[in-house]
Amino acid sequence: MYTQSFNVQEGAAAVVPAPAANAPSAAQQRFDAKVSADTKIEPQDWMPEAYRKTLIRQISQHAHSEIVGMLPEGNWISRAPSLKRKAILIAKVQDEGGHGLYLYSAAETLGVSRDQMLEALHSGKAKYSSIFNYPTLNWADVGVIGWLVDGAAIMNQIPLCRCSYGPYARAMIRVCKEESFHQRQGYEALLALMRGSKEQQAMVQDAVNRWWWKCLAMFGPPDADSPHSAQAMHWGIKRISNDDLRQKFIDATVPQAQLLGITLPDPDLKWNEERQHYDYGAIDWDEFWSTVNGNGPCNKERLATRVKAHDEGQWVRDAALAYAHKQQHRTQKEAA
Ligand code: BYC
């Protein structure tokens, strides 16, 4: 027995005991232990393929939402009612572009390229948030996007700062700080309108009526119909379920609506003493899925604008690349 080890030919494969059927590998066990201990998974760590794919899907969708999200508001930069509002809006839209860039960079650490992600967006294969497929009809819509859309985004994104994947969690810390400013500027713009004329107050109410239900749908389908939630929560990617986040958002928003002096367009919205939460009416999930699947009012326009901006920016990418080559060439020449 003992001498057998000396008989193994040089270069022959070592005899590794076969793992019991379905037993997790050592790498899988290390991964599971890290997730249970709430230690971050980093790009160089081994991770299950399904975890990597889930993160690429979620982070790239999130990045796409940020850059498509620039469009409905960017549309209002030239029409903002004062220099102050214009400056704030330019800064906000620029922040969204920055968020897209951090998030694409975080996704790249998982082995997918920026070109692959953009190709998926531009060809309609990848999703982005349903909320950006609705039109911004007047200035009050811009305030409501800040208050409600960014408000919903923060509610969803604060728990992502504790996501198990390090680069995503770290990107989200900065994103959430900036989103918090976005939400406040939207609320402040609406307060200004509500202190104005009857027409301005009516504009705010109309915008809230159009956006409220769409914002509730942003959190994704009900938990029972969410195919990814259970696994994403098990991996520590998602920390709070779609329905629980939606409820937290409603509970936080009702007092803000009261202070603003507007009515949220839901006759079933009532405080439930027993649950210690607001009850709310039924969300139109057919309308949500139709929008997610490409048939919302602005899907085609948003994608066409995005593709055009990308194509028209080709010369900037070419110039940046040519400059980088020139710098590299110069450094090599100096070193020689
Ligand atoms: N819109 O099993 P589920 C922002 C899809 S940026 C479109 O619950 P998951 C902002 C979902 O992708 C806002 N699709 O999935 C930017 C999945 O489809 P696939 C974006 C949606 O991933 C600029 C299917 O439905 N925020 O706020 O566990 C200016 C089943 O859903 C939506 C993020 O992306 C939707 N609303 O949960 C202002 C945050 N909801 O992939 C503001 C990060 C669901 O199987 N993402 N779907 O084809 C997340 O937290 C999660 O991905 C979601 C969905 C909560 C969105």
Side-chain angles (χ1 to χ4, degrees):
M1 281 278 288
Y2 183 72
T3 55
Q4 277 176 13
S5 59
F6 296 112
N7 296 337
V8 173
Q9 283 177 336
E10 237 184 282
V15 181
V16 178
N22 298 329
S25 66
Q28 174 79 53
Q29 282 175 339
R30 272 196 301 278
F31 171 86
D32 292 341
K34 277 194 169 181
V35 170
S36 319
D38 235 345
T39 312
K40 295 278 175 266
I41 306 294
E42 297 297 340
Q44 67 276 14
D45 293 339
W46 181 90
M47 61 189 81
E49 191 52 19
Y51 176 82
R52 196 180 70 84
K53 284 200 170 133
T54 295
L55 281 167
I56 291 177
R57 179 184 64 81
Q58 177 166 332
I59 302 173
S60 64
Q61 284 177 0
H62 192 165
H64 300 329
S65 304
E66 297 284 354
I67 61 165
V68 177
M70 296 166 78
L71 303 175
E73 289 174 294
N75 192 23
W76 276 90
I77 290 173
S78 58
R79 290 175 288 161
S82 68
L83 187 58
K84 175 181 142 185
R85 297 288 171 200
K86 195 191 285 279
I88 292 172
L89 191 56
I90 291 173
K92 179 182 191 297
V93 171
Q94 187 171 302
D95 282 354
E96 313 296 0
H99 298 172
L101 297 185
Y102 314 145
L103 290 165
Y104 283 126
S105 300
E108 280 174 317
T109 64
L110 292 153
V112 62
S113 74
R114 182 95 44 120
D115 284 345
Q116 285 171 314
M117 291 185 273
L118 287 176
E119 202 285 315
L121 171 66
H122 295 165
S123 64
K125 279 198 288 269
K127 291 194 167 72
Y128 59 87
S129 183
S130 50
I131 197 73
F132 301 118
N133 292 307
Y134 299 101
T136 37
L137 302 182
N138 63 43
W139 176 251
D141 288 41
V142 176
V144 168
I145 290 183
W147 175 40
L148 294 181
V149 175
D150 287 87
I154 298 169
M155 197 53 91
N156 168 268
Q157 290 170 192
I158 295 268
L160 291 173
C161 299
R162 293 187 292 118
C163 159
S164 56
Y165 189 57
Y168 192 23
R170 289 189 287 274
M172 291 317 300
I173 293 171
R174 177 156 177 184
V175 170
C176 285
K177 283 188 182 156
E178 292 175 351
E179 295 288 7
S180 159
F181 158 77
H182 297 171
Q183 196 262 356
R184 284 162 203 217
Q185 67 78 36
Y187 194 68
E188 196 272 331
L190 294 179
L191 277 175
L193 284 171
M194 291 304 285
R195 285 191 214 105
S197 65
K198 288 258 169 299
E199 287 78 10
Q200 286 171 314
Q201 292 166 4
M203 256 168 68
V204 176
Q205 183 64 59
D206 167 63
V208 171
N209 292 349
R210 284 181 289 106
W211 288 92
W212 174 248
W213 290 103
K214 321 289 186 222
C215 288
L216 297 190
M218 271 177 78
F219 295 93
D223 295 349
D225 303 326
S226 161
H228 302 300
S229 278
Q231 184 62 70
M233 291 192 63
H234 176 74
W235 277 327
I237 296 173
K238 261 172 137 160
R239 298 287 178 168
I240 305 180
S241 80
N242 297 358
D243 284 332
D244 287 350
L245 284 170
R246 194 170 3 255
Q247 183 72 64
K248 276 163 91 68
F249 173 71
I250 294 168
D251 292 350
T253 307
V254 172
Q256 295 169 8
Q258 285 163 350
L259 192 74
L260 204 53
I262 54 100
T263 308
L264 293 171
D266 178 0
D268 297 321
L269 190 66
K270 276 188 216 71
W271 178 251
N272 182 324
E273 194 55 40
E274 201 180 320
R275 290 197 317 120
Q276 290 288 299
H277 289 296
Y278 281 93
D279 288 338
Y280 57 96
I283 296 170
D284 184 348
W285 291 111
D286 290 341
E287 199 265 349
F288 167 78
W289 286 117
S290 160
T291 302
V292 169
N293 291 323
N295 302 313
C298 300
N299 295 58
K300 290 183 183 60
E301 181 190 328
R302 297 286 184 247
L303 261 194
T305 311
R306 195 45 242 151
V307 171
K308 184 166 177 278
H310 185 74
D311 291 348
E312 288 177 357
Q314 185 61 48
W315 71 270
V316 179
R317 294 188 292 279
D318 290 345
L321 215 57
Y323 181 72
H325 284 316
K326 204 167 111 184
Q327 288 295 96
Q328 193 185 19
H329 186 66
R330 186 174 295 163
T331 317
Q332 279 167 351
K333 224 166 120 185
E334 278 167 10

